């Protein structure tokens, strides 16, 4: 996966701590967001991935992964979940059976 956008928008983010992101996901990272984000390849979902270390997050008690629907015009829609469980994220995005 190409992480050039993430590295440009979040130069201090440790990319070695990212979970295994499916190859067909698209890096949508934008510096005005709190953390990097990716569009899932299987469904219209956007996944925000906060730093692995809770102390590096804006709100340390928040879960690491936050999932929203993407509307047809690719704007963020309904909140779906916030979790620390990467497998749950993959199930919600249709990337794991």
């Amino acid at each position: 996966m190409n992480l050039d956008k993430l590295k440009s928008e979040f130069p201090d983010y440790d990319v070695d701590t990212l979970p295994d992101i499916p190859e067909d996901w698209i890096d949508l990272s934008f510096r005005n967001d709190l953390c990097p984000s990716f569009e899932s390849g299987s469904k219209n979902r956007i996944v925000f991935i906060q730093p692995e270390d809770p102390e590096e997050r804006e709100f340390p008690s928040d879960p690491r992964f936050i999932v929203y629907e993407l509307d047809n015009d690719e704007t963020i829609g309904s909140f779906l979940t916030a979790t620390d469980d990467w497998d749950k994220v993959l199930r919600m995005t249709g990337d794991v059976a």
Side-chain angles (χ1 to χ4, degrees), residues 43-83:
K43 293 184 179 180
N44 289 338
R45 306 280 192 261
I46 185 169
V47 178
F48 290 89
I49 303 177
Q50 298 204 74
E52 184 176 51
D53 181 354
E55 295 305 313
E56 293 179 13
R57 301 175 194 168
E58 184 167 347
F59 302 103
S61 63
D62 282 356
R64 184 168 186 208
F65 310 112
I66 304 161
V67 183
Y68 289 90
E69 284 185 318
L70 278 178
D71 291 336
N72 290 335
D73 60 358
E74 297 201 359
T75 58
I76 294 175
S78 300
F79 168 80
L80 296 174
T81 193
T83 182

Side-chain angles (χ1 to χ4, degrees), residues 5-6 9-10 26-31 33 35-38:
K5 189 169 185 181
L6 182 155
E9 299 293 313
F10 295 93
I26 300 166
D27 183 359
L28 298 179
S29 299
F30 180 60
R31 79 183 111 236
D33 291 335
C35 58
S37 60
F38 297 85

